[in-house]
Amino acid sequence: MSFSEKTIRTLEFDKICSMLEEHAETEGAKIMARNLRPTEDTYTVLRRLRRTTDARKLADAKGAPSFGRIRDISSACERAEKGAILSPRELLDCAGVLRTARVLQDYHTGNHPFDTVLDEVFDRLIPDRKLEDRITRAIPAEDMVADEASPLLADIRRKIRNENAKIKETLQKLISGQSKYLQENIVTMRGGRYVIPVKAECKAEVKGLIHDTSSSGSTIFIEPMAVVDANNEIRILHTKEEREIERILAELSAAVGAVSDALWLNYKNINELAFVFACGELSAQMRGVAPMISGDRAVNLVGARHPLIDRDKVVPITISLGESFDTLVITGPNTGGKTVSLKTIGLFALMVQSGLHIPCEEESCICTYDNILVDLGDEQSIEQSLSTFSSHMVNIVSIMEQVGERSLVLFDELGGGTDPVEGAALAVAIIESVRSAGACCVATTHYAELKAYALDTPGVCNASCEFDVETLKPTYKLIIGAPGKSNAFAISEKLGLDPAIIERAKERVSSDNKSFESVIEQLENSRVQMEKEREEAKRLREEYERFKAESERKIRQKLDGAEKEAEAARKKAAAMVQSAKASCDFIYEQMEKMKKAQEAAQAAAELEAARRAVRDHLRTTGDIFDPIEVREEDEGYVLPRPLKKGDKVRIVTIHKEGVVTEDPKGNLVAVQAGVVRTKARIEDLRLIEEDERGQKKKTTQAAKPALKSSVSVERSNQFKSEIDLRGMTGDEAWLAVDKYLDDAIMYNMQSVHLIHGKGTGALKNALWKFLKGDKRIASFRIGRYGEGDGGVTVVELK
């Protein structure tokens, strides 16, 4: 069952489609956005939502891909397949599709962070670089076929240039010799042939063929006989040129026709990807999420924000339906947000079933409906003699004929526009009929009878739009479970109505109504109190969670530090054991040598030498295996201010205090430490400051800069592979480009497009001057046809 166009317009889903169309980059994707309609098939809904989610994730991770503003090639492919010769414009469009397919495939294969459901669409792309280059080399612009298109064409054009040069040279000689017969000393063309302007009275003096006459008749355009043969030759060469161009176009058209199916599939898949990425960009714009799809009829929208209301002004609402109750009756004052709440649930259902994200919290869930039936707004018609009540009733009759088990029915001001007693009774009967059909229902009303019906009937729940009587302004918050008050008396009193009138009005209200309104007021007061207590509990819990997380972090830091110190102690102990063992081995070796040398005459001298060797070895092994560890308590110290002559400092490398004797120049500072004058590095100095009494203060240390454990980059629009610089000066443009190139490198972009326009070329020349010396750039070139021609510079990054 398809959703009616009336429902689409009433819930303003067509405006969402217009927003989506603005994000689509290709004409085909724009058409898909305009024609987007919801589906009731749950599997299709899940697949659509997953594609939108993956497109947004890819755009956030890698930036949105470029779709090259491709054009519709369906007609060209069909004609080429039948053997027709395509125009240069059509061939360039085909090359544009191939180029975009190649760019998208490179986007997909390069830096692929995760698998997505869009992989199958990317994999269906079939680039053909050979045919793409063949077309773009032969046709640089839609009104030009290049000399390089074929050797014969290049030869023909070379001959045409030579013949033109000969003709001009011959005519210049004639002009210089017969200038008195000429109206002007110029060479011009008539009918594709070179002629000279001769005075009418002198036409007999110049032998040749007359081709034209000026409007006044005073000038005759004559082709001198000396150049007739050359002009004929040029005409023949032009005919050959046209035939060769036609042959080249026919050859390229045949190549396109041979791959027309692949081209058409490329075009279709590119538009599909452009549409899905447009859905992802719309999701990012409205900060949307993909809600969970419930298998039953449950709806729970948390923090729902109507996407057509300014997001800085819209008030989030939480609305439930289909779990413990299948009917929601919303009451409250006019302009309080009842209709917006009604539209929100209907519009969100249409958006989700169309594969679009909705602006709400991630824990939200929604079900799929077979049909959404709406009676909203005043459709009274003078021509059809329909009053407000009659127009609503016509809609309701149509709804009752279509309602089914998986329908969502939305009534605005149900039973309004007629006698309150009859209207309320009719409203209750209509709601019961809708419920008996198994449908879910949301209705807005002012009738107290409907509030009482909701309180007394299982499966029917009251809701109200909050209103601040003190400020006479609605808060637009939707409260589930509590009926709303009309607040007519309070509002009238605040606006200045005579209190006596209000008192007389209250006397006319029945005792039952007074009791009912009193109960509602007590419920509202209790709800407000509970809401405050809930907010306070939420605040305390959040504070506790923050404290708990901070405490756990500190404990982990201390445990990590203890483990590191224990490991260092273990390593040091092992080194000491190894040192002692090495020393013992050396002593035993020396003692063995001494034992052998006792019988020698130099025993005493050798004994003293052995002792010295033992002492030296012990010092050496001690330094190797048990080094003195210099631990700076103020590791990471930063001078609180630059040093100057006369400052007292501590030299940490020799543990001496001294005075700076010269203002520092560079990294070395001259310091007088007692009788020693030395130069020390700035990082080895600690500033000693004194208080007013001349007492030393603790060494001043600036706050350590926070160490960043990681760097995270967030895309807010989404990084694009092009930047528009039109209207900027050269310096302004380069400032923008300099930052843009840094961002592009951060997002691993291989190439970007700088849009500077054609104009006088001043902006392009200024940019190129900067680009030539930039080490981030591998190469740059002017854009080809389909990339923006001379108005774009394509930059390849290293």
Side-chain angles (χ1 to χ4, degrees):
M1 182 182 293
S2 60
F3 294 82
S4 70
E5 287 301 313
K6 179 182 177 182
T7 297
I8 298 294
R9 291 193 307 273
T10 303
L11 296 177
E12 299 179 289
F13 180 72
D14 54 328
K15 294 182 180 178
I16 300 296
C17 292
S18 297
M19 293 172 62
L20 178 60
E21 184 180 350
E22 293 176 3
H23 291 284
E25 290 194 24
T26 68
E27 190 59 38
K30 291 180 183 294
I31 294 173
M32 293 173 70
R34 284 196 296 270
N35 297 331
L36 179 63
R37 291 297 179 265
T39 176
E40 62 272 14
D41 181 63
T42 303
Y43 173 77
T44 305
V45 170
L46 290 171
R47 185 170 59 85
R48 286 181 175 184
L49 286 173
R50 178 66 187 278
R51 283 155 65 104
T52 302
T53 299
D54 286 350
R56 182 173 174 183
K57 286 168 61 179
L58 281 173
D60 289 343
K62 303 171 62 174
S66 174
F67 293 95
R69 298 180 179 86
I70 61 171
R71 301 190 182 186
D72 187 357
I73 61 167
S74 55
S75 176
C77 288
E78 184 179 355
R79 291 174 53 244
E81 192 174 9
K82 294 178 179 179
I85 298 177
L86 303 182
S87 66
R89 166 78 267 170
E90 292 173 316
L91 288 169
L92 285 173
D93 289 343
C94 293
V97 170
L98 291 172
R99 179 176 57 254
T100 302
R102 173 173 52 82
V103 170
L104 288 175
Q105 195 173 73
D106 291 344
Y107 172 88
H108 176 244
T109 55
N111 186 24
H112 194 48
F114 43 78
D115 294 332
T116 70
V117 295
L118 295 176
D119 292 347
E120 61 172 323
V121 186
F122 280 108
D123 292 339
R124 290 201 299 262
L125 295 171
I126 311 172
D128 189 338
R129 186 63 181 269
K130 183 177 180 182
L131 179 57
E132 175 195 340
D133 291 344
R134 188 177 167 191
I135 293 174
T136 52
R137 278 198 303 267
I139 310 173
E142 63 178 302
D143 56 351
M144 180 189 305
V145 177
D147 293 357
E148 294 81 6
S150 76
L152 179 58
L153 182 62
D155 183 59
I156 292 172
R157 287 180 173 172
R158 180 182 54 78
K159 290 179 179 178
I160 290 174
R161 289 192 292 269
N162 291 339
E163 291 297 330
N164 283 331
K166 289 179 183 177
I167 291 175
K168 289 179 180 179
E169 183 179 354
T170 302
L171 291 177
Q172 286 297 335
K173 291 179 181 178
L174 285 173
I175 288 172
S176 60
Q178 300 182 5
S179 58
K180 59 183 178 180
Y181 303 130
L182 304 180
Q183 197 72 262
E184 293 181 85
N185 291 341
I186 61 171
V187 176
T188 184
M189 296 192 76
R190 285 295 185 273
R193 302 178 75 89
Y194 286 99
V195 296
I196 55 177
V198 179
K199 297 175 181 178
E201 61 272 19
C202 303
K203 65 180 180 180
E205 303 299 328
V206 179
K207 304 299 181 182
L209 304 177
I210 297 175
H211 283 275
D212 198 4
T213 305
S214 65
S215 57
S216 63
S218 60
T219 303
I220 306 296
F221 295 96
I222 297 177
E223 177 186 2
M225 294 302 296
V227 297
V228 169
D229 290 341
N231 270 328
N232 289 338
E233 181 62 24
I234 288 178
R235 179 64 64 86
I236 293 170
L237 289 172
H238 277 306
T239 301
K240 291 182 178 180
E241 180 188 25
E242 291 173 1
R243 290 176 180 171
E244 179 61 12
I245 289 175
E246 184 176 356
R247 186 195 68 78
I248 292 168
L249 295 178
E251 191 176 274
L252 293 175
S253 299
V256 168
V259 295
S260 59
D261 289 341
L263 272 169
W264 168 244
L265 285 174
N266 280 337
Y267 175 72
K268 183 178 178 182
N269 290 322
I270 290 169
N271 281 324
E272 187 175 351
L273 287 170
F275 170 76
V276 175
F277 274 93
C279 294
E281 290 188 19
L282 180 63
S283 170
Q285 176 187 318
M286 61 176 58
R287 292 179 291 186
V289 300
M292 294 178 286
I293 303 299
S294 61
D296 48 19
R297 299 192 302 168
V299 174
N300 184 30
L301 300 176
V302 181
R305 307 176 299 276
H306 197 288
L308 297 178
I309 301 177
D310 187 342
R311 68 182 184 185
D312 294 327
K313 298 179 181 179
V314 65
V315 177
I317 63 172
T318 296
I319 186 167
S320 302
L321 185 67
E323 291 182 309
S324 58
F325 55 88
D326 56 27
T327 299
L328 190 65
V329 177
I330 305 176
T331 53
N334 289 324
T335 70
K338 299 190 303 297
T339 303
V340 171
S341 300
L342 197 73
K343 282 188 171 183
T344 298
I345 187 172
L347 180 58
F348 275 26
L350 293 176
M351 290 176 65
V352 168
Q353 291 183 225
S354 299
L356 301 179
H357 287 180
I358 53 177
C360 61
E361 300 302 322
E362 291 184 355
E363 61 265 29
S364 300
C365 72
I366 195 170
C367 65
T368 58
Y369 296 104
D370 291 344
N371 203 355
I372 299 177
L373 304 169
V374 183
D375 174 40
L376 187 68
D378 186 359
E379 298 183 11
Q380 59 179 312
S381 171
I382 295 176
E383 293 180 358
Q384 299 178 12
S385 301
L386 292 178
S387 64
T388 298
F389 176 75
S390 299
S391 65
H392 279 294
M393 195 50 58
V394 168
N395 287 337
I396 291 171
V397 170
S398 175
I399 288 172
M400 300 311 296
E401 292 174 351
Q402 302 176 59
V403 68
E405 186 177 354
R406 293 195 64 84
S407 297
L408 173 64
V409 183
L410 306 175
F411 292 118
D412 188 28
E413 301 295 349
L414 181 60
T418 188
D419 177 77
V421 176
E422 293 181 358
L426 192 59
V428 170
I430 290 171
I431 289 176
E432 288 182 343
S433 179
V434 169
R435 294 188 67 208
S436 65
C440 289
C441 178
V442 182
T444 67
T445 185
H446 287 285
Y447 292 143
E449 291 85 350
L450 282 179
K451 302 176 190 178
Y453 170 74
L455 287 172
D456 296 338
T457 307
V460 182
C461 183
N462 270 306
S464 61
C465 290
E466 194 176 58
F467 188 86
D468 189 341
V469 180
E470 295 299 323
T471 62
L472 296 182
K473 292 182 179 179
T475 64
Y476 300 108
K477 292 182 179 178
L478 184 67
I479 310 302
I480 302 292
K485 291 182 61 180
S486 64
N487 295 302
F489 293 153
I491 293 172
S492 300
E493 187 175 0
K494 283 287 183 180
L495 292 175
L497 187 63
D498 189 345
I501 297 175
I502 294 174
E503 286 301 320
R504 285 197 295 272
K506 288 181 179 180
E507 291 173 0
R508 291 183 173 273
V509 176
S510 66
S511 59
D512 290 343
N513 280 340
K514 286 182 180 179
S515 300
F516 185 71
E517 291 295 326
S518 176
V519 170
I520 291 177
E521 186 174 357
Q522 292 174 12
L523 286 172
E524 178 66 12
N525 292 336
S526 299
R527 184 198 62 79
V528 171
Q529 182 63 30
M530 290 176 63
E531 188 75 17
K532 289 180 180 178
E533 292 175 357
R534 188 178 66 83
E535 290 295 331
E536 179 64 15
K538 181 180 178 182
R539 184 188 65 78
L540 292 173
R541 180 170 181 79
E542 290 176 351
E543 186 176 331
Y544 164 74
E545 292 293 343
R546 286 194 298 271
F547 174 77
K548 178 183 176 185
E550 180 66 17
S551 299
E552 289 177 349
R553 184 186 63 80
K554 290 180 179 179
I555 291 172
R556 283 195 299 270
Q557 283 183 343
K558 289 182 178 180
L559 289 175
D560 292 343
E563 288 178 1
K564 289 179 181 178
E565 289 180 1
E567 181 64 23
R570 284 193 293 270
K571 290 182 178 178
K572 186 172 181 180
M576 292 174 65
V577 171
Q578 189 174 358
S579 173
K581 183 176 182 298
S583 299
C584 289
D585 291 343
F586 182 76
I587 291 171
Y588 289 150
E589 183 181 348
Q590 295 300 316
M591 289 176 66
E592 185 67 24
K593 288 182 180 179
M594 284 300 303
K595 182 179 178 181
K596 295 179 181 179
Q598 282 179 354
E599 300 174 356
Q602 294 86 5
E606 289 183 1
L607 178 61
E608 182 60 30
R611 288 173 179 168
R612 285 197 302 271
V614 168
R615 284 195 296 269
D616 291 342
H617 182 74
L618 289 173
R619 281 197 297 272
T620 301
T621 55
D623 291 340
I624 293 174
F625 295 105
D626 189 18
I628 297 174
E629 295 183 4
V630 180
R631 296 183 61 185
E632 289 292 342
E633 296 180 357
D634 54 354
E635 184 180 352
Y637 174 86
V638 179
L639 288 168
R641 60 174 175 81
L643 296 175
K644 61 183 180 180
K645 183 178 180 181
D647 282 342
K648 291 185 177 181
V649 294
R650 179 166 60 89
I651 308 173
V652 297
T653 52
I654 61 175
H655 302 289
K656 297 285 186 181
E657 293 184 2
V659 179
V660 177
T661 58
E662 298 177 7
D663 288 333
K665 296 179 181 178
N667 192 45
L668 295 178
V669 182
V671 181
Q672 184 78 36
V675 297
V676 178
R677 182 180 178 85
T678 183
K679 285 192 175 183
R681 298 183 302 170
I682 286 181
E683 54 265 29
D684 295 334
L685 300 180
R686 304 292 183 266
L687 179 62
I688 300 174
E689 294 184 333
E690 297 181 348
D691 57 21
E692 295 179 353
R693 296 174 296 175
Q695 298 296 320
K696 291 182 182 179
K697 295 165 63 178
K698 188 176 180 180
T699 303
T700 305
Q701 179 172 344
K704 297 180 183 179
L707 296 177
K708 296 183 179 179
S709 60
S710 64
V711 178
S712 62
V713 179
E714 182 180 352
R715 226 188 87 156
S716 84
N717 121 325
Q718 314 170 9
F719 186 86
K720 294 189 177 289
S721 60
E722 61 185 32
I723 180 173
D724 194 342
L725 307 169
R726 289 173 291 188
M728 299 184 185
T729 65
D731 291 335
E732 291 172 345
W734 178 245
L735 285 174
V737 169
D738 189 37
K739 181 179 182 304
Y740 176 74
L741 292 178
D742 287 339
D743 293 342
I745 292 172
M746 187 178 297
Y747 283 100
N748 297 319
M749 300 296 289
Q750 296 178 350
S751 66
V752 294
H753 293 65
L754 310 183
I755 304 174
H756 44 66
K758 297 180 180 177
T760 62
L763 180 56
K764 184 203 77 173
N765 294 335
L767 286 173
W768 281 33
K769 181 179 178 182
F770 288 115
L771 294 175
K772 287 178 181 176
D774 199 310
K775 296 181 179 179
R776 296 169 294 184
I777 295 171
S779 65
F780 60 91
R781 59 175 173 80
I782 201 68
R784 299 193 182 99
Y785 182 81
E787 294 178 328
D789 296 327
V792 170
T793 293
V794 180
V795 178
E796 301 291 337
L797 300 174
K798 291 183 178 178

